[in-house]
Amino acid sequence: MILAALALGVALLTVWTAVRRSTRFRYAPKPHIAWTGPSPPDVVIFAVSGRCGLRCNAPDANREYLTETGATEQIAGAFHRLGLSSYVLAYRAHLFNAQDRSRDGSTQYGFLQLEADFDWARRNWPASRRVLLGHSHGVNWTHNLLRLHPGWSVDYLIDLDGVCLQWEEDNARYFEAYYASRGGNPWRLDPSKSCNVEPVPSDHGHLLLDVKDVAYPGARSDLEVRTAQGQVRDRTPNRRPDGSTRGLFALVTGESHPATAIAGTKALDWVARTVLRLEEAREPAK
């Protein structure tokens, strides 16, 4: 017990030291919008990737990959077919930003950056469609954005096989450090608790759902992909907080958990087709 306590103390001290060295960078992110078009984009896609794998140094080794797999490009393509311009912003499954030292040293953006960017976009580009796209652990982050900010909204909340397994354990020490630096939790709820926390009514009484399984009111349409194979997968259909399924669309695929994030798979083909169908029903193309 004493050794375990000492190990935990050392780990927290290490995190806190890193926090103190990079407070401005990690804890007060500025919007990093770099759109250069003559007018705001018609669609802004905020994409949050998932965990680095089962046996990896998560969440620090988590990195953005939804642009590399072509997922964001395929979804943007559905809007392009209707003559709508798009802008993609990509994030990793982590609370903080960090430099990717294993590759080219580029910045890997985290949830606090997503929060700052989304807030800027909704205030400065109110007419732009907003899309939240998440895969695996990333779905917890995208849903938490709407959970923590009930006045914020998106046109599409896209969930690619969301998973809560290990999410709280991965991120606990970073939430603790963030709260300590702020003198407490700055949000209305505690996002560090995101698994089995939302009581949602059903025909069999209230269910305690993960945040990833709740389509919060800010989502106009929720497109959910779940895979039917493997141990790591989303087994729970999404619901609205009132237990309804208004505006919810779902696909259960036989593809693997990683495959749901790769362009050209049944999962992404279905998402793109569904977005196109909903857009065509919404208004004429530009």
Side-chain angles (χ1 to χ4, degrees), residues 260-282:
T260 58
I262 299 174
T265 55
K266 293 179 181 178
L268 266 299
D269 287 348
W270 173 82
V271 170
R273 288 197 309 271
T274 304
V275 166
L276 182 60
R277 174 167 58 84
L278 292 172
E279 280 295 309
E280 289 174 332
R282 174 175 177 164

Side-chain angles (χ1 to χ4, degrees), residues 135-177:
H135 175 245
S136 192
H137 271 195
V139 179
N140 289 291
W141 291 110
T142 57
H143 282 230
N144 262 311
L145 187 72
L146 299 181
R147 176 193 183 203
L148 299 176
H149 300 282
W152 294 5
S153 63
V154 295
D155 296 87
Y156 299 97
L157 179 64
I158 301 174
D159 307 331
L160 303 178
D161 211 34
V163 173
C164 215
L165 179 68
Q166 286 295 121
W167 189 90
E168 290 184 348
E169 294 84 349
D170 285 354
N171 297 288
R173 64 189 186 275
Y174 292 101
F175 279 112
E176 290 174 8

Side-chain angles (χ1 to χ4, degrees), residues 2-36:
I2 295 176
L3 289 177
L6 287 173
L8 177 60
V10 171
L12 290 175
L13 179 61
T14 300
V15 171
W16 180 242
T17 300
V19 165
R20 293 293 298 273
R21 289 175 178 172
S22 56
T23 299
R24 291 184 61 190
F25 174 67
R26 286 183 165 176
Y27 288 87
K30 305 297 183 184
H32 80 295
I33 307 296
W35 176 254
T36 58

Side-chain angles (χ1 to χ4, degrees), residues 90-167:
Y91 308 85
R92 67 174 183 156
H94 201 298
L95 187 61
F96 304 136
N97 297 349
Q99 306 305 124
D100 186 357
R101 301 184 185 283
S102 65
R103 297 203 177 188
D104 58 4
S106 62
T107 301
Q108 290 285 310
Y109 297 104
F111 177 78
L112 295 176
Q113 186 69 60
L114 165 65
E115 188 179 47
D117 293 341
F118 190 97
D119 188 31
W120 188 97
R122 74 178 186 87
R123 288 185 291 101
N124 291 277
W125 297 335
S128 300
R129 290 160 172 74
R130 292 185 290 274
V131 178
L132 278 174
L133 167 66
H135 175 245
S136 192
H137 271 195
V139 179
N140 289 291
W141 291 110
T142 57
H143 282 230
N144 262 311
L145 187 72
L146 299 181
R147 176 193 183 203
L148 299 176
H149 300 282
W152 294 5
S153 63
V154 295
D155 296 87
Y156 299 97
L157 179 64
I158 301 174
D159 307 331
L160 303 178
D161 211 34
V163 173
C164 215
L165 179 68
Q166 286 295 121
W167 189 90

